[in-house]
Amino acid sequence: MNRFTLDVTPVMQRPSGMGLYVVNLIQGLMQVAEQEAFELQLAYQPRLGRWLRADLTPPPALQSVPNLRVFPVPVRLSNLWLRYPIAFHPRVEQWFGQPDLVHGTNYSVFPFRHSRRVMTLYDLTFMRYPQFTHQVVKTYTHQVKRCLRWTDGIITISESSKRDIVEFLGVPSDRVFVTPLASRYSIPDPTLENPWQKPYLLFVSTIEPRKNVVGLIQAFNALKAQNGIEHDLILIGQKGWLYESVFNAIAQSPYRDSIHHLSYLPDAQVMAFYQFADVFVYPSYYEGFGLPVLEAMTLGAPVVTSHTASLPEVAGLAALLINPYDIAAMATAISKVISDRAFRQQLRDRGYEQAKKFSWLKTAKKTIATYHQILSG
């Protein structure tokens, strides 16, 4: 029986981004484990602050999962093994139980000597668009290139990201495996009530430059000024980095009283906002996948999104695709959706069908298939 170790350290107190990927992948892998014979072990490293307080308690999302082991070294210290792999102590590998394969889920994987090594690279924003990243992420290039010295395979989340990995890192195509993501939601909830008093445009994601929220605000301003729309603009997402320009744009907007930032909300509340949105707008410049687009389609929100990177893969024929640099085109697309009820319903129907192509069980099965292919390679 094969033994696989999955790094679950990206899961935080409030899972988002990579943390959501890991939480849902765990659930999918546990389902697959019921059908296939393999042993899954989960490894978690504490945050530095908690470690300094001798608090090794994992986040709530991990506290009930089976086979969780807390490796009592924070990432900031264990990253030294990536810089100096010769110092990687055999006892560490023994602590992990010498698995057949170890999967690093945060742009790195330890230099195990007796296990196959896989790492997930979600996207290459830090190489393609370094101006959109913060200082920590800018260090990823050196970290990833070091890990490539001992990595047996790379998992990524879209064909677009795979092309970037092959082009920018020179990794052979047959060593890069695509396992698309899936929505945290499955179907709309008919018991939910509209969470907002006015019709609204919706954006859901981290507030950071790459997401082009300033462009969305500019398009919203144009729609208010030229079309006199009655809608509000709802921005749901935690502040990431370099977010000041977004809030400056809100403050300077003549329609600032109609723009609302709601920060982090529980899943059920986000679900309600998706379900009742007149249009979901996601004008990101670059995405490794674009999970909010899939979530919106799953819950019946008509989608306007960018024609860049992975977003056309996720949206298929179920969204209006726009150039994120063209504010006028963005405003025109939004106007078409909110003014044409029949077209809006058509996008909803297409979105439901497109969303059915993705599930976390499919993601888990492709992940396990990747493990077996690497072990047999």
Side-chain angles (χ1 to χ4, degrees), residues 20-276:
L20 281 177
Y21 161 77
V22 172
V23 167
N24 286 289
L25 180 60
I26 291 169
Q27 300 301 320
L29 290 174
M30 289 194 297
Q31 285 182 266
V32 176
E34 296 175 0
Q35 306 164 13
E36 297 189 30
F38 66 85
E39 179 183 338
L40 179 66
Q41 176 180 282
L42 310 176
Y44 176 77
Q45 294 179 252
R47 296 288 180 273
L48 180 62
R50 288 180 175 270
W51 180 77
L52 290 172
R53 298 193 301 270
D55 180 2
L56 303 184
T57 306
L62 296 176
Q63 289 177 10
S64 62
V65 297
N67 300 326
L68 176 71
R69 303 188 69 184
V70 178
F71 183 50
V73 179
V75 173
R76 289 195 188 182
L77 292 183
S78 65
N79 274 348
L80 292 173
W81 287 321
L82 307 181
R83 298 181 185 180
Y84 311 104
I86 195 68
F88 188 77
H89 203 285
R91 288 185 180 178
V92 177
E93 194 163 351
Q94 292 171 5
W95 182 93
F96 279 89
Q98 293 188 328
D100 296 293
L101 180 145
V102 61
H103 179 182
T105 56
N106 189 10
Y107 293 92
S108 66
V109 64
F110 285 154
F112 279 52
R113 295 177 174 88
H114 304 289
S115 306
R116 294 296 178 93
R117 296 134 303 203
V118 181
M119 66 174 169
T120 296
L121 302 183
Y122 303 88
D123 60 64
L124 292 189
T125 306
F126 54 93
M127 296 186 74
R128 292 204 58 159
Y129 299 100
Q131 70 271 27
F132 291 154
T133 58
H134 60 65
Q135 289 303 118
V136 173
V137 175
K138 287 178 181 178
T139 67
Y140 281 9
T141 298
H142 297 297
Q143 173 178 293
V144 166
K145 287 183 176 180
R146 286 192 195 99
C147 290
L148 285 177
R149 300 173 189 168
W150 55 77
T151 299
D152 297 294
I154 292 173
I155 287 176
T156 193
I157 54 180
S158 68
E159 293 294 338
S160 172
S161 286
K162 177 175 179 173
R163 290 192 294 271
D164 286 349
I165 290 166
V166 171
E167 177 184 352
F168 283 83
L169 292 172
V171 179
S173 178
D174 60 0
R175 285 182 55 201
V176 186
F177 304 86
V178 177
T179 63
L181 306 184
S183 173
R184 56 182 150 167
Y185 308 107
S186 53
I187 56 174
D189 183 348
T191 68
L192 291 177
E193 297 183 356
N194 193 327
W196 208 251
Q197 294 181 340
K198 296 176 65 176
Y200 57 90
L201 320 181
L202 179 66
F203 168 88
V204 178
S205 194
T206 306
I207 307 299
E208 59 178 273
R210 176 167 58 95
K211 306 297 182 177
N212 193 22
V213 185
V214 171
L216 173 55
I217 293 169
Q218 292 171 346
F220 179 71
N221 291 341
L223 287 166
K224 281 286 193 182
Q226 299 167 17
N227 299 54
I229 64 170
E230 59 179 329
H231 295 66
D232 283 353
L233 173 59
I234 308 295
L235 309 174
I236 299 177
Q238 299 180 85
K239 293 179 179 178
W241 47 87
L242 301 177
Y243 53 78
E244 293 83 3
S245 62
V246 172
F247 293 94
N248 287 338
I250 294 173
Q252 294 169 12
S253 170
Y255 310 101
R256 55 186 169 274
D257 291 342
S258 296
I259 304 174
H260 306 270
H261 175 235
L262 303 183
S263 193
Y264 183 90
L265 294 179
D267 286 357
Q269 290 186 38
V270 179
M271 185 178 190
F273 274 103
Y274 273 131
Q275 284 188 203
F276 289 94

Side-chain angles (χ1 to χ4, degrees), residues 189 287 306:
D189 183 348
E287 291 290 324
S306 303

Side-chain angles (χ1 to χ4, degrees), residues 343-356:
F343 181 64
R344 191 161 67 242
Q345 187 59 49
Q346 186 180 65
L347 286 181
R348 285 195 176 102
D349 294 340
R350 289 180 183 176
Y352 287 137
E353 292 305 309
Q354 177 70 5
K356 291 177 183 177

